[in-house]
Structures are given as C-alpha cells and as structure tokens.
Amino acid sequence: MARRTKEEARETRLKILDAAESAFYERGVARTTLADIAALAGVTRGAIYWHFNNKAELVQAMLDSLREPLDDMAKASESEDELDPLGCMRQLLITLFRQVALEPKIRRINEIMFHKCEFTDEMCDLRRQRQAASLDCNGRIELSLRNAVQRGQLPENLNTVRAAICLHAYIHGMLGQWLLVPDSFALHTETEALVDTALSMLRMSPSLRD
C-alpha cells in the first residue's frame, strides 16, 4: 500500500511537471499561474504545493531533469584521473547541442529558460538559483580545462578562468541564438564543427594566455 502511495505521488509530480512545461511554453513563466498548471494537470493547487513550494521550484525541477543525463560526462572531464578530459568535454558539448536540436522536450525546456522566463519579483529565488548555477558552471568548466592543461591537451599558459568564462558564454550564446531563430543554421548537422570551433579558440587564442 505504501509503495502504491509513493508511486502515485511520483506520477502526480511528473504530471504537474509536464503540465508546467506545457503552460510555460505556451504562455511564458510570468503569465502562468499555479491554478493554470493545476487545471492542465487535472490536480488541485494543494497537490502542487505538496510537491513544490512555488513556481521557482517548478522551473528548477524542470532544469534538474535536463542535467542528469549529462552528469557522467561532466564528472569525467572534471576528474584528475581522466586521461582525455578535453575529449570528454567535446563529447559533452556535442551531446548537449544535439539534444537541444533533436529532442523536443529538451528543446522546449531550453526555449522556456532562454526566451520565456522573466525574472519578476516572484521569481527572485529562481534568479538567485540561476546566478549560483552559472558561477558553478564556470567553476566546473575551469576544472575541466585545468585537467586538459595537465594532460597536455591545451597550452600550459592558458588562463583557465578567462577561458571558462568565454567557453560558457559561447555555449550559452550559440543555444540562445539557435532557439530564437532555428532556421538561421542547422544546429544538428553543424554540431561537431561548432564545438571544434570553441575548442580551437581555447588552443589558439593569444588573448586566453597568461
């Protein structure tokens, strides 16, 4: 009986997340209310509050669902024991770009975050979470780059802090541009070339040297 109750709670949570994704995509985060999400999910507002304290937590839960499949590759490039950290990073970025281009759910969630999420007063918690996540991402990229330098895959005088900021901005800008105007270039076919362009910047740009 307890197992069934747990399964039902999990199913309700997933139903709420699916409804939130659909509503956010159609109306934007600011214009969507918890009542809208409850109606779309076929649950009460109380059911939403059982799983999520507010709209910001709903958005964060959607984002967390994107990170899980990529975590193993990210952790590999961040490990000092990894023999090919730059190769792991390359594969991570290729996978990220292709998922956004080819998997509808991942594309919708990214489009919500890039172009349909306004940091209004009620979303201050999410803004703080996104700021912290951005800084954390810079740190994790920098760790991977340091590992690549140690393995001789990148120049030994690479300014890894500056390089991490630039690489993060490149990824963010590429995805944001494509999601806004998907007909501007074929992300799924250009993925490897776009990723290799970023890695070439790390290897060759004199402005990224100490």
Side-chain angles (χ1 to χ4, degrees):
M1 188 69 176
R3 178 182 295 178
R4 179 58 185 162
T5 301
K6 189 174 181 179
E7 288 174 357
E8 288 174 346
R10 181 177 178 276
E11 289 171 3
T12 299
R13 187 177 189 276
L14 291 175
K15 189 185 297 184
I16 292 167
L17 282 171
D18 285 342
E21 177 196 320
S22 178
F24 292 156
Y25 187 77
E26 290 298 324
R27 304 176 187 140
V29 174
R31 294 182 60 196
T32 299
T33 66
L34 292 181
D36 294 331
I37 295 169
L40 196 58
V43 301
T44 64
R45 285 186 62 184
I48 293 181
Y49 283 118
W50 176 263
H51 293 277
F52 306 98
N53 288 324
N54 50 44
K55 206 160 40 170
E57 281 194 10
L58 265 170
V59 176
Q60 187 59 50
M62 284 196 311
L63 286 173
D64 290 342
S65 72
L66 297 183
R67 288 169 40 188
E68 292 171 3
L70 300 174
D71 265 355
D72 287 343
M73 281 184 282
K75 288 175 181 176
S77 67
E78 294 159 19
S79 171
E80 291 182 357
D81 298 326
E82 174 56 51
L83 298 178
D84 185 18
L86 198 64
C88 290
M89 175 178 281
R90 180 179 186 271
Q91 189 55 53
L92 170 65
L93 296 179
I94 288 172
T95 301
L96 170 63
F97 281 7
R98 284 183 174 157
Q99 283 183 343
V100 172
L102 300 174
E103 298 187 27
K105 184 179 183 68
I106 292 176
R107 175 175 172 174
R108 283 194 302 271
I109 294 176
N110 274 279
E111 192 167 343
I112 290 167
M113 293 310 303
F114 275 90
H115 301 303
K116 301 187 178 188
C117 184
E118 308 86 347
F119 291 124
T120 54
D121 289 345
E122 67 173 332
M123 300 300 285
C124 284
D125 286 347
L126 181 64
R127 180 181 174 83
R128 284 190 288 269
Q129 290 166 6
R130 301 311 305 144
Q131 289 171 330
S134 182
L135 292 174
D136 179 64
C137 187
N138 283 348
R140 295 181 70 178
I141 293 172
E142 201 253 332
L143 177 58
S144 299
L145 296 181
R146 279 194 276 120
N147 288 337
V149 170
Q150 290 297 319
R151 294 291 179 183
Q153 296 180 312
L154 291 173
E156 62 180 12
N157 62 341
L158 180 72
N159 185 314
T160 54
V161 173
R162 189 185 306 146
I165 293 169
C166 291
L167 182 57
H168 191 183
Y170 178 92
I171 297 163
H172 193 273
M174 192 65 64
L175 291 177
Q177 179 185 348
W178 183 80
L179 287 164
L180 185 64
V181 192
D183 292 336
S184 59
F185 60 97
L187 180 59
H188 67 290
T189 58
E190 290 290 310
T191 292
E192 291 193 21
L194 293 171
V195 171
D196 288 338
T197 297
L199 299 185
S200 294
M201 172 186 70
L202 301 178
R203 295 189 187 97
M204 301 172 67
S205 174
S207 299
L208 294 179
R209 305 291 180 266
D210 282 325

